[in-house]
Amino acid sequence: MTGAVHGLRALQLVLTSRAGRHLAVLAPVLAGISSASSCAAPGSEEQRRADVVPVELRCEYRENPLGVDVPVPRLSWKLAARSAGLRGLRQSAWRVLVATRPAELALGRADLWDSGRVDDARSLQIEYTGRPLPSLTPCWWAVQVWDQAGRASVFSSPACFTSGYRSPTDWTARWIGRGEVAQGRELGSLWLRTSFELPGRPLGAFAVLASLGYHELYVNGRRVGDAVLQPCTTDLSRRVRSVTYDVSGYLREGRNVVAVQLAEGWARFARYGRIERPLLRAQLDVECALPDGSSVRQRVATDAAWRWCASARTAIGGWEFGDYGGEELVVDGTPEDAPADPATDDSAWAHAREFELDVEISNQQVEPDRRIETLAGLVIAAQPGEVRLDFGRVFTGQLELEIEGPGALEISVSEREDSDCTYSQRSRLVLESAHGTFQNRFNYVCGRWVTLRGAQPFRVLSARAHAVHVDYERCTSFACSDPLLQRIHDTIDWTLRCLSLGGYIVDCAHRERWGYGGDAHATMGTALTHSGMGAFYAKWLEDWRDAQAPDGELPYTAPTYEGGGGPAWSGICIQLPWQLYVHYGDVAILRTMRPTMERWLAWLETHVQDGLVMPHGHFDWGFLGDWVPPGRGQGKDERVDDESTLFFNNAYWLLCLQRMQAITTVLGEGADAQRYAARSATLRARLNERFFQAATHTYANGEQPYQALALLAGLPAADEREQVLDVLCRDLVETRNGHLNSGIHGTWLLLNALHAAGRDDLLWTVASQRDYPSWGHMLEQGATTIWEQWDGVHSRTHSSFLSLGEWFVRSLGGIEPDPAHPGYEEFDLRPWFGPEDARNARWVSTSFASPRGPIESRYRWNANVLEWSVSVPPNARATLHFPGTLFGERAPAEWKRRVREGGATLSTAGGVESIRCAEGELAVRIGSGDYIFTVPCATSS
């Protein structure tokens, strides 16, 4: 009974954190769970001896998500060591309880699913196989595990996911909007509102909002949550995302008022059609306690009885290439959110109009955009009627400007110091009172400098910019002794966040805002090694599935369709799912994307002539190769020669076929794997026949991207591979003097090819350059975000050259996943320890929150001794790679005697599972735990 009481108390203490996550005060529930269990008494001696405990429970990649509407939710957890100093910790079995009330868990019961003990080491992507989930129901769950010695842990602290609508029939609400047909392109946002009576005390309530355009929800005058730009971006002609809110703490017995402010946002995008907009479909489900002890459910749904009024905001600009504009706000002394105030009289408001809309509604299964960081603006120039502000660095986000002085102000934003406005980023504040504040609400800007102009004198009382991006988990901490490399890393990381908006990576946040598949290649390695991208990429891949044409063709951007590209853009449908599998062990995404991959590859086959995919697509922009390499001019002149582009697209096709062979192997489809292997072999032979010049050991024009691509695709014969690599390295070192000669794709390919070949020394050379073309050159020119082109001629906040970010984690930190053991079940630690002449006082510190727990790799050179500290999370193993160059002329048999761990030899150190010398290195396999290795370098005694 005590457990049940504690559980009910916890249910009543549901809160919403700054991050908007569904949280609960669960210590009482945990106490209840610790008092009863049908498996083994959690307080027993058996469980006290367990070495691990499950922590950080996630459902579909997210913490306590609301509105989960996937057919089979998947559950994941990490393991924490019971005490410091333990090594070799593993999970041997698990048990999951899922219940509709925390009180059930407190009694050791599960009315939805009790998995029983499952002898299995998996802790990622565990599929729910319990009772069918009812719609819009909190599902409380907890995990118990058994360690490597078969000892049971205590149950985890409970987590909760709320099921979403399980069927279209769950919707009874109507689509509603303005009461008259909208005219023109510049439309104001609007308010929609209703009031209702609750017959008793609210026990729990959820609101589900689907909107064609952005929305903000208010209940009884209070804004619900702190997310912005909701919902995330989709192709609104096909799919609208719904957002589920827990509004339990916002309602009261008696009269209640729900209000929603709507703005067009992406509903203005011409590609989605010029239907009436913005529109809202919303319903609120409440359970109330009645005086007689019973309870009743009540639904409030949008229909023509709702009322609407215009808001104080109007959209500016066309929401199209180069003209996403801004907002006009009229401030007359009345609070902007006054229509949400329950005391506001809405009797004169017009009734809403109902609409029919044939789109699919699915819940927003990705973290929302939020205001993550605030930057202060500094006045750098002022004269009567004009003020210029500098926010210190380029950002993507929303302005908040407090102004004194009546009149109209034009607000323009620029990413360039020598320009007042870039890409038509303009807003307007109309002050009908002496004081007011402009804030972006349903749009965002990208820039650093802000200029305000007015016909009358005014004062800027305060100026802030709120950086906005998808609120995914930031997983990586990187620091090193090289100031330039540190700046490059931090600038790349910041730029990636500036471009993570609406559930996909925008190429730039001002000019286009399109989700290019080619740019996704350039960013996915950096993103997956720096942030928790599981939900983010799963959502974006659904956009790609939505965008596929019936004949299998894929556009080059999703969910936006616009823009140029080629196979290396649309092929993201194959490459990105594979990376999700490698990093998260997500087999389901391979199954889900398989039909899309197959249809696209079949479509490519319809463009094959003489064994090669030939140019296709729209006009001059449908068969691009490596894009924006240095020194190629502008427009069509940015391209390389047609023969090299033909090679590039066909070699990339080969990469996709090879990846499909790996995917079908993982899925257990041996016949298909063989079919893809045979197709790859045929194409490989054709590419060598057409493009390989044996006399020079080059492919196509022999430039860096094409040599790198040939190596990654395995084109050279075994006896040619070293010569092809040598041509690449000589071009980099001798011809280019340590500089790149590559664009978006070529840079990504080059980084991966050199890393795979063990030539991180050359990558260090490339990354250390300060003159054109290089990342250091951008910084020397004052860049605070990474540019679209090496010379910065166009966009200066862009996804083009973010691929180097992955190198800091994989090469300098040495943390590398193993595709044969995905989800970091096993991984490599293989840092590049730097050139011998740069070892003195050199250090690198890398920490990565993997799906299994924190991985750390920290090393420094101290008086010619390498000190390397590593951490491996429970339920994982790592193989450490010590290059033979550390040991000088000593024979491999002596290498392991040179290495110490915590003062002990490798043969006696705890947690060391195997030691081998092969291929010029010492490989040491270790289990979980914290380790400190020391190696006297070759020049020391």
Side-chain angles (χ1 to χ4, degrees), residues 686-708:
R686 182 71 182 96
L687 287 168
N688 277 311
E689 176 189 23
R690 171 72 180 266
F691 297 102
F692 182 56
Q693 292 87 43
T696 57
H697 311 291
T698 57
Y699 286 85
N701 63 13
E703 292 181 354
Q704 294 171 12
Y706 312 99
Q707 298 296 96

Short mmCIF file of all heavy atoms in Angstrom, two decimals, residues 686-708:
data_model
loop_
_atom_site.label_atom_id
_atom_site.label_comp_id
_atom_site.label_asym_id
_atom_site.label_seq_id
_atom_site.Cartn_x
_atom_site.Cartn_y
_atom_site.Cartn_z
N ARG A 686 34.02 -1.84 -64.79
CA ARG A 686 33.73 -0.82 -65.82
C ARG A 686 34.41 0.50 -65.48
O ARG A 686 34.95 1.19 -66.37
CB ARG A 686 32.22 -0.62 -65.94
CG ARG A 686 31.82 0.37 -67.02
CD ARG A 686 32.06 -0.22 -68.41
NE ARG A 686 31.73 0.72 -69.47
CZ ARG A 686 32.62 1.51 -70.08
NH1 ARG A 686 33.91 1.46 -69.73
NH2 ARG A 686 32.25 2.33 -71.03
N LEU A 687 34.42 0.87 -64.22
CA LEU A 687 35.05 2.12 -63.82
C LEU A 687 36.56 2.07 -64.05
O LEU A 687 37.16 3.05 -64.51
CB LEU A 687 34.75 2.40 -62.34
CG LEU A 687 33.33 2.85 -62.02
CD1 LEU A 687 33.07 2.80 -60.52
CD2 LEU A 687 33.07 4.25 -62.55
N ASN A 688 37.18 0.95 -63.73
CA ASN A 688 38.62 0.83 -63.97
C ASN A 688 38.93 0.87 -65.46
O ASN A 688 39.92 1.48 -65.89
CB ASN A 688 39.14 -0.47 -63.34
CG ASN A 688 39.44 -0.30 -61.86
OD1 ASN A 688 40.10 0.64 -61.45
ND2 ASN A 688 38.93 -1.21 -61.05
N GLU A 689 38.08 0.22 -66.23
CA GLU A 689 38.28 0.21 -67.68
C GLU A 689 38.18 1.61 -68.27
O GLU A 689 38.99 2.01 -69.11
CB GLU A 689 37.25 -0.71 -68.33
CG GLU A 689 37.31 -0.74 -69.85
CD GLU A 689 36.14 -1.49 -70.45
OE1 GLU A 689 35.08 -1.60 -69.78
OE2 GLU A 689 36.26 -1.94 -71.59
N ARG A 690 37.22 2.40 -67.81
CA ARG A 690 36.95 3.71 -68.41
C ARG A 690 37.84 4.82 -67.85
O ARG A 690 38.29 5.71 -68.59
CB ARG A 690 35.47 4.06 -68.20
CG ARG A 690 35.07 5.48 -68.57
CD ARG A 690 35.05 5.71 -70.07
NE ARG A 690 34.65 7.07 -70.39
CZ ARG A 690 33.41 7.46 -70.68
NH1 ARG A 690 32.43 6.57 -70.67
NH2 ARG A 690 33.14 8.72 -70.97
N PHE A 691 38.14 4.79 -66.56
CA PHE A 691 38.70 5.99 -65.93
C PHE A 691 40.10 5.84 -65.37
O PHE A 691 40.69 6.84 -64.96
CB PHE A 691 37.76 6.46 -64.80
CG PHE A 691 36.40 6.86 -65.25
CD1 PHE A 691 35.31 6.00 -65.07
CD2 PHE A 691 36.19 8.07 -65.88
CE1 PHE A 691 34.04 6.37 -65.49
CE2 PHE A 691 34.93 8.45 -66.30
CZ PHE A 691 33.85 7.59 -66.12
N PHE A 692 40.64 4.64 -65.30
CA PHE A 692 41.96 4.47 -64.68
C PHE A 692 43.07 4.61 -65.71
O PHE A 692 43.04 3.98 -66.77
CB PHE A 692 42.06 3.10 -64.01
CG PHE A 692 43.36 2.85 -63.32
CD1 PHE A 692 43.82 3.73 -62.34
CD2 PHE A 692 44.15 1.76 -63.66
CE1 PHE A 692 45.02 3.50 -61.69
CE2 PHE A 692 45.36 1.52 -63.02
CZ PHE A 692 45.80 2.40 -62.03
N GLN A 693 44.05 5.48 -65.39
CA GLN A 693 45.23 5.64 -66.22
C GLN A 693 46.40 4.94 -65.52
O GLN A 693 46.98 5.47 -64.56
CB GLN A 693 45.57 7.12 -66.44
CG GLN A 693 44.54 7.86 -67.29
CD GLN A 693 43.39 8.42 -66.48
OE1 GLN A 693 43.59 8.97 -65.42
NE2 GLN A 693 42.18 8.25 -66.99
N ALA A 694 46.73 3.77 -66.01
CA ALA A 694 47.73 2.95 -65.33
C ALA A 694 49.10 3.61 -65.30
O ALA A 694 49.86 3.46 -64.33
CB ALA A 694 47.82 1.58 -66.01
N ALA A 695 49.44 4.36 -66.33
CA ALA A 695 50.78 4.96 -66.41
C ALA A 695 51.00 5.98 -65.30
O ALA A 695 52.13 6.15 -64.82
CB ALA A 695 50.98 5.61 -67.78
N THR A 696 49.93 6.67 -64.90
CA THR A 696 50.05 7.71 -63.87
C THR A 696 49.41 7.32 -62.55
O THR A 696 49.45 8.08 -61.58
CB THR A 696 49.41 9.02 -64.36
OG1 THR A 696 48.03 8.77 -64.71
CG2 THR A 696 50.15 9.56 -65.59
N HIS A 697 48.77 6.14 -62.51
CA HIS A 697 48.09 5.65 -61.30
C HIS A 697 47.00 6.63 -60.85
O HIS A 697 46.84 6.89 -59.66
CB HIS A 697 49.09 5.43 -60.15
CG HIS A 697 50.30 4.64 -60.54
ND1 HIS A 697 50.23 3.31 -60.86
CD2 HIS A 697 51.61 5.02 -60.68
CE1 HIS A 697 51.45 2.88 -61.17
NE2 HIS A 697 52.29 3.89 -61.09
N THR A 698 46.27 7.18 -61.81
CA THR A 698 45.26 8.18 -61.50
C THR A 698 43.90 7.77 -62.04
O THR A 698 43.79 7.00 -63.00
CB THR A 698 45.63 9.55 -62.10
OG1 THR A 698 45.81 9.41 -63.51
CG2 THR A 698 46.91 10.09 -61.47
N TYR A 699 42.88 8.32 -61.41
CA TYR A 699 41.50 8.19 -61.87
C TYR A 699 40.99 9.56 -62.30
O TYR A 699 41.28 10.58 -61.65
CB TYR A 699 40.62 7.63 -60.76
CG TYR A 699 40.83 6.15 -60.51
CD1 TYR A 699 41.85 5.71 -59.67
CD2 TYR A 699 40.03 5.20 -61.15
CE1 TYR A 699 42.06 4.35 -59.46
CE2 TYR A 699 40.23 3.84 -60.95
CZ TYR A 699 41.24 3.43 -60.10
OH TYR A 699 41.45 2.09 -59.89
N ALA A 700 40.24 9.56 -63.41
CA ALA A 700 39.68 10.81 -63.95
C ALA A 700 40.81 11.82 -64.12
O ALA A 700 41.83 11.51 -64.73
CB ALA A 700 38.56 11.31 -63.05
N ASN A 701 40.65 13.03 -63.54
CA ASN A 701 41.68 14.05 -63.73
C ASN A 701 42.82 13.95 -62.72
O ASN A 701 43.73 14.77 -62.72
CB ASN A 701 41.07 15.46 -63.71
CG ASN A 701 40.43 15.79 -62.36
OD1 ASN A 701 40.64 15.10 -61.38
ND2 ASN A 701 39.64 16.85 -62.34
N GLY A 702 42.76 12.95 -61.84
CA GLY A 702 43.84 12.71 -60.90
C GLY A 702 43.88 13.64 -59.71
O GLY A 702 44.81 13.57 -58.90
N GLU A 703 42.87 14.52 -59.58
CA GLU A 703 42.87 15.44 -58.44
C GLU A 703 42.45 14.71 -57.17
O GLU A 703 41.97 13.58 -57.19
CB GLU A 703 41.95 16.62 -58.73
CG GLU A 703 42.48 17.51 -59.86
CD GLU A 703 41.57 18.71 -60.11
OE1 GLU A 703 40.47 18.79 -59.50
OE2 GLU A 703 41.94 19.56 -60.95
N GLN A 704 42.62 15.39 -56.06
CA GLN A 704 42.43 14.78 -54.74
C GLN A 704 41.08 14.06 -54.57
O GLN A 704 41.06 12.90 -54.11
CB GLN A 704 42.59 15.83 -53.64
CG GLN A 704 43.98 16.40 -53.54
CD GLN A 704 44.04 17.58 -52.59
OE1 GLN A 704 43.10 17.86 -51.85
NE2 GLN A 704 45.15 18.31 -52.62
N PRO A 705 39.95 14.68 -54.92
CA PRO A 705 38.68 14.00 -54.66
C PRO A 705 38.54 12.67 -55.38
O PRO A 705 37.95 11.72 -54.83
CB PRO A 705 37.63 15.01 -55.16
CG PRO A 705 38.32 16.33 -55.08
CD PRO A 705 39.75 16.04 -55.44
N TYR A 706 39.12 12.56 -56.57
CA TYR A 706 38.91 11.37 -57.39
C TYR A 706 39.84 10.23 -56.98
O TYR A 706 39.46 9.06 -57.01
CB TYR A 706 39.03 11.76 -58.86
CG TYR A 706 38.21 12.99 -59.10
CD1 TYR A 706 38.81 14.25 -59.14
CD2 TYR A 706 36.81 12.92 -59.14
CE1 TYR A 706 38.04 15.40 -59.26
CE2 TYR A 706 36.05 14.06 -59.27
CZ TYR A 706 36.65 15.30 -59.32
OH TYR A 706 35.89 16.44 -59.41
N GLN A 707 41.03 10.58 -56.55
CA GLN A 707 41.91 9.56 -55.97
C GLN A 707 41.33 9.05 -54.65
O GLN A 707 41.33 7.85 -54.37
CB GLN A 707 43.31 10.13 -55.73
CG GLN A 707 44.04 10.61 -56.98
CD GLN A 707 44.34 9.50 -57.97
OE1 GLN A 707 43.59 9.28 -58.92
NE2 GLN A 707 45.43 8.78 -57.72
N ALA A 708 40.81 9.97 -53.84
CA ALA A 708 40.23 9.57 -52.55
C ALA A 708 39.01 8.70 -52.75
O ALA A 708 38.84 7.67 -52.06
CB ALA A 708 39.87 10.81 -51.73
#
